[in-house]
Amino acid sequence: MDKKHGTIIVDGKIVDLDKTSIEELKKLENKLENEIDELRKEIDELIK
Amino acid sequence: MDTAKNYDDNYEVVVPENDDFDLEYIDLNEEDIINVNPEEVLKAEVQREKTLKEALLNLMSKQASLLKVKTAEKARETGATIDKIIKGVEEKAQAYEKGYLEEKAILDDYNKKLDNLKSLYEEGVDFRLDNRDKFETKEQVAINQKSEAKSKMKKMQATKQYKEYTKAFNKVKDEFNQAVLEGDTETEIIKRKELIELKQKDPTIPYKREMKQADDSISLARKGISECDQQLIDWLEDKNKAIDRIENETNQALSGIVKQNFWQKLIGSLVNKFHKVGKVAKSAFGQIKKITDMMDEVYEKMNKEYEEELNANMQAASERAEAKAEARAERKAARAEKNRKHKQDIIKMIDERIAATEKQLEAIRAQRSQDNGKSITPVFEGGDNVVQFDRDD
């Protein structure tokens, strides 16, 4: 792999993206998208 | 122009002059407005903005993580497939050293073209993810703008100025309702006109307008994010189709070598294997050359589509014209730094607003304690105006 994508923190754990399988990356993507949707709802409520 | 009826977002917009509108929506609750406690308003505002700051930081962090995950995922998909194809061809070709050495130039060309395609896909993915990031920053900026306007509006609604406005408005509204009940059309017309004029003088209108504008910006930014996601899906679908085609054609071309390998193992000692291997391998390399030409077509097609998109973005187009991979990476890092600074600024602005509101809150409390138990409505900044409150007693 010629690209370093670094790490992210998910649920308090460090995840090395270069060592994560594509399937796991897809799961992470869905999880983050759902969490972002929830945060948007919370923010919309706060600035309503 | 639209009238000031209830909007989904539960606040109103400017009522234009000469616009008739349904008065039913006007329902300023006089008791609520008159009895509003500025200290409670400020306390609630501090809490609201602190919660917003936490939520926004969380959003920024998750959006940054999502960007990293998407980048890793897309690069991995493309890279793994292409590397697998290159490795497969290399391994099979090297199994036939004679043919491999003779036709190495064809293989090198093939690998180079695949690498070019890989770079093009990665560049296209980066471009779309950069755009996505820009829309996310726009969304965050607009959220901050709306929160700021809301904060000003809340403070304004706790001022003496607004209380007086509400009293005046409700007085005319009562007169209007009375005229409607009594069937006094003449008074009804006059009071309706007065109500429209008063509505236009609503001191919270500038903030409501800002909130509406910020709402539009938030919607646009979120639409932009969705569009970037769709463009990314389309781009990757095109890429997958092209890669699949190359892989299939390559496998077909190499099948002759694979068959020959099997045949060689069985009866290689009985025939002039080098002659035959060379012949079959040569034929396979000939097909690989054809695939390389096909890749030129794929590259041109994808590149043309990408150029069309870039043309909509002059800066990116001019950057790409001269860009080498390293220079592009540097510019990308600079853009990321700019976005990071932008996000920091947003949080700083919220922090400053919280500090200012807390200062106003302290002033109110200090004034209350000085007043030694007397009921007083103290001084604080309401929206853009500094308002001196009267004593309530």
Side-chain angles (χ1 to χ4, degrees):
Chain A
M1 206 170 305
D2 55 358
K3 224 173 180 182
K4 295 284 170 207
H5 297 99
T7 57
I8 58 169
I9 294 174
V10 181
D11 298 334
K13 289 178 189 163
I14 297 172
V15 177
D16 186 341
L17 296 176
D18 295 308
K19 290 179 184 166
T20 309
S21 67
I22 291 183
E23 290 71 27
E24 286 300 316
L25 287 174
K26 281 186 197 297
K27 278 186 202 167
L28 267 178
E29 187 182 3
N30 282 336
K31 177 180 161 62
L32 285 165
E33 278 174 346
N34 289 337
E35 287 174 356
I36 285 170
D37 280 347
E38 287 305 309
L39 276 167
R40 284 198 173 116
K41 282 181 201 159
E42 188 190 334
I43 286 170
D44 287 348
E45 198 59 35
L46 284 166
I47 58 174
K48 193 168 74 177
Chain B
M1 186 169 169
D2 209 346
T3 60
K5 290 176 185 172
N6 286 325
Y7 278 74
D8 289 345
D9 39 21
N10 211 21
Y11 57 86
E12 303 136 12
V13 292
V14 182
V15 180
E17 212 174 338
N18 304 324
D19 189 15
D20 198 8
F21 66 102
D22 187 352
L23 293 171
E24 283 174 17
Y25 82 96
I26 300 169
D27 189 25
L28 296 176
N29 190 330
E30 190 176 354
E31 287 304 307
D32 285 352
I33 301 287
I34 306 304
N35 295 328
V36 72
N37 180 343
E39 189 175 335
E40 289 304 317
V41 170
L42 293 180
K43 266 165 69 180
E45 269 309 289
V46 168
Q47 192 50 52
R48 184 185 70 79
E49 292 245 78
K50 279 184 176 173
T51 312
L52 176 73
K53 181 189 155 186
E54 287 309 310
L56 203 52
L57 276 170
N58 212 350
L59 179 75
M60 287 171 176
S61 162
K62 289 199 188 296
Q63 284 176 332
S65 294
L66 180 63
L67 191 69
K68 278 184 161 188
V69 170
K70 277 179 183 282
T71 308
E73 185 192 322
K74 308 311 173 199
R76 183 83 60 81
E77 280 178 347
T78 307
T81 315
I82 291 181
D83 289 344
K84 198 178 120 202
I85 300 174
I86 291 177
K87 204 177 164 202
V89 174
E90 286 278 0
E91 277 175 357
K92 285 181 177 112
Q94 282 174 12
Y96 298 89
E97 196 180 346
K98 186 167 174 268
Y100 173 73
L101 288 174
E102 280 175 4
E103 310 293 352
K104 195 163 185 313
I106 292 176
L107 276 181
D108 286 347
D109 195 31
Y110 173 90
N111 290 349
K112 193 178 149 201
K113 295 283 168 60
L114 265 180
D115 261 345
N116 285 347
L117 265 182
K118 191 171 150 186
S119 300
L120 177 68
Y121 294 137
E122 283 175 358
E123 195 185 318
V125 167
D126 284 350
F127 174 69
R128 285 157 183 84
L129 289 177
D130 274 351
N131 274 349
R132 196 182 192 283
D133 195 27
K134 281 180 201 162
F135 280 118
E136 283 176 347
T137 304
K138 281 182 185 173
E139 179 194 17
Q140 292 152 11
V141 168
I143 286 171
N144 176 50
Q145 283 169 345
K146 191 173 173 191
S147 188
E148 184 179 18
K150 179 175 175 148
S151 188
K152 286 179 181 172
M153 186 180 79
K154 284 278 171 195
K155 290 175 185 177
M156 166 54 77
Q157 283 175 337
T159 60
K160 184 187 171 192
Q161 182 191 350
Y162 194 72
K163 286 178 184 180
E164 283 176 353
Y165 166 78
T166 309
K167 274 184 195 168
F169 190 91
N170 280 300
K171 183 173 173 286
V172 179
K173 190 180 81 173
D174 289 344
E175 289 166 357
F176 170 80
N177 287 336
Q178 191 62 32
V180 172
L181 275 175
E182 291 170 0
D184 182 352
T185 319
E186 197 180 330
T187 309
E188 184 189 328
I189 292 167
I190 293 166
K191 294 299 164 188
R192 174 183 287 271
K193 194 167 172 253
E194 282 180 27
L195 278 176
I196 292 172
E197 283 168 2
L198 270 172
K199 188 72 198 163
Q200 287 166 350
K201 287 176 188 163
D202 181 346
T204 61
I205 277 180
Y207 311 123
K208 287 173 180 169
R209 192 188 293 131
E210 281 174 31
M211 287 171 78
K212 180 77 175 69
Q213 282 167 352
D215 251 347
D216 292 344
S217 301
I218 292 170
S219 299
L220 272 176
R222 287 179 182 168
K223 194 174 164 224
I225 292 169
S226 298
E227 282 173 359
C228 284
D229 282 342
Q230 190 53 50
Q231 284 167 4
L232 198 58
I233 289 169
D234 293 345
W235 176 252
L236 291 171
E237 270 179 12
D238 285 351
K239 177 218 74 176
N240 286 338
K241 278 184 202 159
I243 296 285
D244 284 350
R245 192 175 153 211
I246 291 165
E247 193 175 16
N248 286 338
E249 302 259 354
T250 306
N251 286 340
Q252 277 179 25
L254 293 172
S255 65
I257 295 179
V258 175
K259 280 177 192 162
Q260 182 61 25
N261 189 26
F262 176 71
W263 175 86
Q264 181 193 6
K265 279 179 184 167
L266 283 177
I267 53 170
S269 59
L270 302 175
V271 295
N272 182 350
K273 63 180 180 180
F274 284 112
H275 174 68
K276 293 216 176 235
V277 168
K279 245 174 108 177
V280 177
K282 228 177 176 64
S283 151
F285 285 127
Q287 287 181 60
I288 288 172
K289 174 136 189 3
K290 279 185 195 161
I291 300 165
T292 309
D293 294 341
M294 182 191 85
M295 279 192 286
D296 281 340
E297 286 170 34
V298 172
Y299 185 88
E300 285 309 313
K301 182 180 168 285
M302 300 293 287
N303 197 37
K304 197 178 161 206
E305 282 174 21
Y306 182 45
E307 286 290 346
E308 278 167 11
E309 272 190 61
L310 280 180
N311 283 340
N313 183 333
M314 293 310 288
Q315 192 192 342
S318 70
E319 276 176 12
R320 191 182 184 235
E322 316 165 4
K324 304 224 178 285
E326 299 81 15
R328 253 202 332 266
E330 275 176 26
R331 269 190 280 268
K332 201 180 163 204
R335 275 201 299 273
E337 177 59 22
K338 195 176 158 193
N339 268 356
R340 194 185 62 79
K341 176 85 174 40
H342 225 73
K343 290 173 204 298
Q344 268 184 350
D345 289 346
I346 291 169
I347 296 301
K348 197 177 156 202
M349 281 188 262
I350 297 177
D351 275 338
E352 284 170 357
R353 278 206 304 277
I354 292 171
T357 310
E358 280 175 334
K359 209 173 156 190
Q360 290 171 340
L361 197 53
E362 277 170 27
I364 282 185
R365 284 170 178 160
Q367 213 167 335
R368 184 157 48 85
S369 78
Q370 266 181 15
D371 194 56
N372 218 5
K374 274 189 184 175
S375 173
I376 187 170
T377 315
V379 180
F380 79 89
E381 218 173 294
D384 290 332
N385 310 309
V386 176
V387 180
Q388 173 71 55
F389 284 88
D390 287 344
R391 286 173 189 278
D392 293 335
D393 56 350

